Amino acid sequence: MGLDFTAIDFETANGFRGSPCSVGLTKVRGGRIVEEASWLMRPPAGYDSFDHNNVRIHGITAADVAGAPRFGDLFPEIGAFIGDDVLAAHNAAFDLGVIRSALEVSGLPGPAYDYVCTVMLSRRCYSLVSNSLPFAAEEAGVPLVNHHDAAEDARACAGILVDIAGRNGANSIAELYLSLGLAMPRQQAFDPATDDLSKASFAALAGNSGNGATLVRRFQSGWPEEGLNPEPNLDAEPGHPLYAQTVVFTGQLSINRPDAKLRSARCGARTESRVTARTTVLVVGDGFVASDLRSGRLTGKARRVLELHDRGQAIEVLSEGEFLQMVGGADARGPLDGPGEAWAGARAPAVSA
């Protein structure tokens, strides 16, 4: 078996994962791109409002997709393109979550997929202060020109995976994961008529998300309240990008920090209130994007992280948008997925700011 897979990237209309408005797909055979496809689409009915923050990021408006098919009508073509391939995505929890939530709120079943997350692989194989797609793509030698164009993002994701496989002497995805001592993650098949809904879809159907949901909300002034640091959910999915990480927040977030900490802990992360030698992830609010690492528009905590990174401490900087993608969106609420549902979230004493 050669280095064969399909890379995928979605853009969404609002903060609910199940609101895809475009998708890009790149098929790789033997480590080379052999086919690409992309579509604009209308999100599922009832979840198809376009939030201005999302439009600002990807430039797609409701008018652009007015004549396009709904996601549920288009998915047979998307699924046929993927076939039985392993799916690769940069922050795969988000893109696989888009497929699941969009099908769930459309009332449609979904197939099982083995998948690869190039954020996780970038963390393991590169040494970057940010593993956001532009930074990882640049490291892989496939720099992005139009970030958030779904077709270009899928192509960059494919390039990252091919580069990481090459650096590890792997001729297939199976060889790569074997060499890294990792198990291939899998999203199981599901049917919303009989199976429990994902957390994001549960929240959307309960009216907590969907129309008007935002990926990043308006900045609000005021000193952020740190709150307590919850105990990490030990039953969380080990393949989640925040699992076993030590997360610190800085700047003003669109959600309050106690909520952000709770969502992190649900994913298996430990949260703290200041940057220390234990810190592995810093989430930056205030509208921060990865390019700010080069422009110098940073908080004191972020500058501290850059100093520690230069000294060899492996710390990753995330924008709030990237963080929210990982934990389900700005308005995601509802029961925990999978075996962690019984987690009580016991709280530990707060650490001073």
Side-chain angles (χ1 to χ4, degrees), residues 29 126 225 263:
R29 290 290 179 268
Y126 298 154
E225 172 63 37
R263 297 186 197 198

Side-chain angles (χ1 to χ4, degrees), residues 20-252:
C21 57
S22 79
V23 64
L25 296 144
T26 297
K27 187 172 289 292
V28 172
R29 290 290 179 268
R32 296 182 180 276
I33 294 173
V34 296
E35 190 176 359
E36 295 183 308
S38 62
W39 289 274
L40 291 176
M41 68 195 74
R42 284 184 295 160
Y47 305 93
D48 51 2
S49 69
F50 278 72
D51 184 86
H52 72 279
N53 288 300
N54 292 61
V55 173
R56 176 177 56 82
I57 290 170
H58 53 56
I60 302 168
T61 67
D64 293 328
V65 302
R70 295 268 185 204
F71 171 83
D73 298 323
L74 188 60
F75 187 74
E77 290 187 63
I78 297 171
F81 186 95
I82 298 168
D84 295 327
D85 277 6
V86 172
L87 273 179
H90 204 72
N91 188 14
F94 171 75
D95 294 283
L96 272 293
V98 170
I99 292 174
R100 175 151 190 166
S101 286
L103 287 174
E104 284 177 330
V105 298
S106 300
L108 298 172
Y113 289 114
D114 290 326
Y115 66 89
V116 171
C117 179
T118 51
V119 169
M120 299 289 290
L121 293 177
S122 175
R123 282 179 176 173
R124 196 173 184 99
C125 300
Y126 298 154
S127 181
L128 305 174
V129 71
S130 170
N131 290 291
S132 66
L133 189 59
F135 277 70
E138 182 177 301
E139 177 69 17
V142 288
L144 271 171
V145 177
N146 295 310
H147 186 25
H148 294 297
D149 175 276
E152 290 205 26
D153 285 0
R155 189 181 308 129
C157 173
I160 292 166
L161 183 50
V162 170
D163 179 66
I164 289 174
R167 294 189 188 202
N168 286 275
N171 295 313
S172 68
I173 301 296
E175 281 188 20
L176 174 62
Y177 267 65
L178 183 63
S179 71
L180 295 175
L182 299 174
M184 178 79 67
R186 182 175 179 84
Q187 175 164 284
Q188 299 296 334
F190 59 90
D191 187 338
T194 56
D195 297 329
D196 291 338
L197 295 177
S198 64
K199 181 174 66 175
S201 297
F202 179 91
L205 291 170
N208 293 330
S209 190
N211 284 338
T214 57
L215 183 63
V216 181
R217 296 177 186 167
R218 186 180 297 110
F219 171 79
Q220 298 175 346
S221 62
W223 192 260
E225 172 63 37
E226 282 288 346
L228 300 174
N229 291 305
E231 289 293 327
N233 175 19
L234 300 180
D235 292 325
E237 171 54 52
H240 191 280
L242 293 180
Y243 185 83
Q245 302 296 318
T246 300
V247 182
V248 174
F249 298 88
T250 186
Q252 190 72 45

Side-chain angles (χ1 to χ4, degrees), residues 251-272:
Q252 190 72 45
L253 306 177
S254 64
I255 60 176
N256 62 59
R257 284 196 193 174
D259 189 11
K261 289 182 173 184
L262 184 60
R263 297 186 197 198
S264 301
R266 282 174 172 166
C267 298
R270 181 172 299 280
T271 63
E272 295 185 343

